[in-house]
Amino acid sequence: MITRRGFLRLIGGSALSMVSLSAYAVGIEPMLLTHVKRYALTPPHWPTGLKLRVVALADIHACRPWMTPERIASLVENTNALQPDLIVLLGDYVDGMRLVTADVSAPDWASALSGLRAPLGVLSILGNHDWWHDYAAQVAGAGPTVARGALESVGIPVLENDVVRLEKDGHGFWIAGLADQLAIRPSKALRRHGFKGLDDLDGTLAKVSDSAPVILLAHEPDIFPKVPWRVSLTLSGHTHGGQVRLFGYSPVVPSEFGNRYAYGHVVENDRNLIVSGGLGFSILPVRFGVRPEILQIDLG
């Protein structure tokens, strides 16, 4: 039988543990040195002899004090040090929560990203927050967004339902980028019900004009069940790995599929998806079990 003193010690110890875990989740893990998450795979119908290193950044969510221009510039240095052939940005450059001390303007975060360097270039897509926080785009129900203009102003192309053909060592391949699947928010004032996506998967892939492999960039991974086998690899962000992840499970995931596409490398019917845990956060500045990460993907 537990004594009163023992009970109080138990409660006190539990409370201290909770405070310690909360402090770690809010104050330490989100600011840890960024982890490089490495994947190596040869997708179906990938050309023999094509070795390609793709490095991906997702969900930066620029804001103070969590993701300052200085921290983004440091991430840029870490990314370049990985010697990528190609760098891709998977959307959500804009902050995603109210618990900030100050916003970071689009010119400031774009300027920090302008230092990215790779022989085959830097390509990007937009995320839902890049649309949601753009009042003019929400009213119009269409772009171009401020985020797109900021990226293009520093020489980073934005793919919205568009494709680019690249070549390495005599082998061609395609990068296809989808427009956001949750771009336009519901609005009573504008009499809009439900989210409206601007993505066009079929129309985008129709622009691929030869049999070279395709890498698809799609901010939200929920598109994956519709992605055809023709696509060698799909890269997504958005979920942040749930921001809290224990024993391979995330209690809350912003996806219709729950944990199915929450994080990591998913293979279904010989099709490959990699979902980044991202760099910043939305709703709350909390990470536990999902360190901020840069993706390094070696193909072939």
Side-chain angles (χ1 to χ4, degrees):
M1 179 177 178
I2 189 169
T3 65
R4 181 174 180 272
R5 179 175 294 181
F7 177 74
L8 291 175
R9 285 178 177 172
L10 176 63
I11 294 297
S14 298
L16 181 61
S17 296
M18 289 301 294
V19 170
S20 299
L21 284 173
S22 298
Y24 176 82
V26 175
I28 298 177
E29 183 154 323
M31 305 304 288
L32 284 173
L33 289 175
T34 302
H35 173 60
V36 178
K37 181 67 174 179
R38 293 177 169 88
Y39 297 93
L41 64 149
T42 302
H45 53 83
W46 190 259
T48 301
L50 175 54
K51 294 188 180 297
L52 182 72
R53 173 168 291 178
V54 180
V55 173
L57 305 179
D59 303 290
I60 290 170
H61 290 298
C63 64
R64 295 185 183 275
W66 311 107
M67 187 62 74
T68 64
E70 294 78 15
R71 188 177 179 199
I72 296 171
S74 176
L75 293 170
V76 165
E77 290 184 11
N78 294 341
T79 299
N80 291 342
L82 298 174
Q83 299 182 309
D85 296 307
L86 172 70
I87 298 171
V88 296
L89 306 177
L90 300 177
D92 272 5
Y93 315 95
V94 178
D95 68 81
M97 61 182 179
R98 296 182 179 179
L99 295 176
V100 303
T101 58
D103 292 329
V104 173
S105 71
D108 284 348
W109 57 251
S111 177
L113 290 171
S114 69
L116 291 167
R117 296 287 183 269
L120 298 180
V122 183
L123 296 171
S124 70
I125 58 173
L126 300 182
N128 55 302
H129 286 280
D130 304 319
W131 282 90
W132 292 359
H133 293 265
D134 191 322
Y135 179 75
Q138 289 298 307
V139 171
T145 59
V146 170
R148 176 167 185 155
L151 288 163
E152 291 179 337
S153 73
V154 297
I156 299 176
V158 179
L159 302 179
E160 293 187 278
N161 299 328
D162 209 349
V163 301
V164 172
R165 192 180 192 279
L166 302 173
E167 188 169 308
K168 185 193 176 199
D169 298 334
H171 298 280
F173 65 96
W174 296 84
I175 301 295
L178 281 189
D180 192 68
Q181 301 159 55
L182 300 170
I184 308 302
R185 303 181 75 169
S187 170
K188 290 183 180 179
L190 298 173
R191 298 181 181 179
R192 289 199 299 244
H193 304 284
F195 290 96
K196 177 186 176 184
L198 300 178
D199 55 301
D200 180 1
L201 179 62
D202 292 340
T204 301
L205 295 181
K207 297 178 181 181
V208 174
S209 58
D210 62 25
S211 60
V214 178
I215 298 172
L216 175 68
L217 312 181
H219 180 68
E220 295 90 359
D222 284 17
I223 195 72
F224 187 59
K226 300 177 183 178
V227 175
W229 186 81
R230 170 75 178 84
V231 174
S232 295
L233 175 64
T234 301
L235 298 178
S236 295
H238 182 63
T239 64
H240 306 185
Q243 285 188 199
V244 175
R245 192 166 179 82
L246 299 169
F247 308 109
Y249 176 81
S250 301
V252 179
V253 182
S255 167
E256 292 183 5
F257 297 94
N259 272 265
R260 181 174 169 185
Y261 305 134
Y263 177 69
H265 185 193
V266 179
V267 180
E268 291 184 354
N269 300 321
D270 215 19
R271 298 171 306 120
N272 287 263
L273 165 71
I274 294 176
V275 182
S276 171
L279 291 158
F281 28 57
S282 59
I283 311 301
L284 291 172
V286 172
R287 277 184 178 266
F288 189 84
V290 191
R291 285 178 57 180
E293 69 179 26
I294 296 171
L295 290 185
Q296 176 185 304
I297 304 132
D298 290 306
L299 299 170

